[in-house]
Amino acid sequence: RPREPFGMFLVLVDPDSKFEKLLGIASIAPYFIMCSLTTLIVRSRELVVCAWLGGHLLNEVLNFLLKRLLRENRPEGAPAVGFDVHGMPSAHSQFMGFYLSFSSCVLAYRVRNCSMIWKVGAASFNLVLSVSVAYGRVRLGFHTPAQVVVGLAVGFCAGLAHYAACGKYLFPLFPAISTWRLSKLLLLKDGAHVDNVLQFEYDAYQASGDAQSESQESVPKTAAA
């Protein structure tokens, strides 16, 4: 049976195959991750997340250049849904390779006060997700196996290189960058010295609430006096 468009996921799937529909849903992981990182920057204003998002953007530029350098077409019969005709390397696979390596480095070296079980579990989930996205690009006809393997490898190496460069040159500058006038205006900060950001924020909110409650309780006493 011919493949049909599947919802908003920009893929063509066998309408009778639940597995292909799952792969179609997985194919939007890069878009979801980019939206999540952007939302996290707006919410947390963490400099490390800014560096993470910037690395993904540089990775996309690298993929654009590689596709025009290698100029290898997608497999014959690839779905015509407005994508670039060049398929080497797979942009989805390269994105997920970068995400897998960079997120693993963040878990290993930046996340503290978290059990190894949670770290391994998160890294394992990211690995399964990355492989699922890459396999889906082949199963759904967008790329050849070689294009997704090269994409994963290039992205994984790019993620490691970006984290290594940030660790050597950029992360040490975060304390100084956070004092810049622009950083203060945008509330950008470096939370590397905080073991548990969620606990730290919770304690700050609770302390502020307790102080406000004490202040409100003291007003009637002052008025009565």
Side-chain angles (χ1 to χ4, degrees):
R1 185 175 178 178
R3 287 189 167 98
E4 299 177 356
F6 179 47
M8 64 177 182
F9 302 111
L10 296 178
V11 294
L12 300 176
V13 302
D14 181 349
D16 297 326
S17 174
K18 293 182 179 179
F19 181 60
E20 287 198 359
K21 290 181 179 179
L22 286 175
L23 292 177
I25 294 173
S27 69
I28 69 167
Y31 308 105
F32 177 79
I33 291 170
M34 290 296 281
C35 289
S36 297
L37 289 175
T38 303
T39 302
L40 190 57
I41 289 174
V42 174
R43 169 62 182 85
S44 71
R45 311 300 172 96
E46 281 281 354
L47 288 169
V48 67
V49 186
C50 296
W52 190 342
L53 180 61
H56 273 298
L57 296 177
L58 291 175
N59 187 50
E60 291 300 306
V61 173
L62 175 61
N63 180 265
F64 179 87
L65 296 175
L66 287 176
K67 280 187 173 180
R68 276 142 190 82
L69 176 65
L70 300 175
R71 302 182 65 83
E72 180 178 304
N73 289 335
R74 294 173 183 269
E76 185 178 354
V81 287
F83 291 101
D84 192 335
V85 295
H86 303 305
M88 175 65 85
S90 163
H92 277 69
S93 300
Q94 186 172 324
F95 181 98
M96 296 308 299
F98 185 100
Y99 172 75
L100 177 61
S101 61
F102 196 92
S103 64
S104 297
C105 290
V106 170
L107 286 169
Y109 302 114
R110 299 278 301 187
V111 176
R112 296 190 295 273
N113 198 26
C114 182
S115 71
M116 185 59 65
I117 295 177
W118 283 103
K119 289 185 178 183
V120 172
S124 299
F125 174 82
N126 289 337
L127 174 60
V128 172
L129 179 61
S130 299
V131 172
S132 298
V133 172
Y135 175 72
R137 306 310 287 174
V138 177
R139 174 68 180 262
L140 300 178
F142 288 99
H143 292 282
T144 65
Q147 290 170 353
V148 300
V149 170
V150 171
L152 280 173
V154 171
F156 191 87
C157 293
L160 290 179
H162 184 64
Y163 189 89
C166 287
K168 185 174 182 178
Y169 301 109
L170 187 58
F171 294 165
L173 298 178
F174 278 177
I177 293 175
S178 63
T179 64
W180 292 355
R181 180 177 299 180
L182 179 62
S183 297
K184 291 181 178 180
L185 178 64
L186 299 177
L187 303 179
L188 298 177
K189 60 182 180 291
D190 175 29
H193 61 286
V194 180
D195 287 336
N196 189 323
V197 175
L198 291 177
Q199 186 66 49
F200 181 83
E201 290 184 347
Y202 175 81
D203 292 340
Y205 279 119
Q206 288 297 102
S208 177
D210 293 342
Q212 184 175 7
S213 298
E214 293 177 1
S215 176
Q216 291 175 348
E217 290 175 359
S218 66
V219 171
K221 295 180 180 179
T222 303

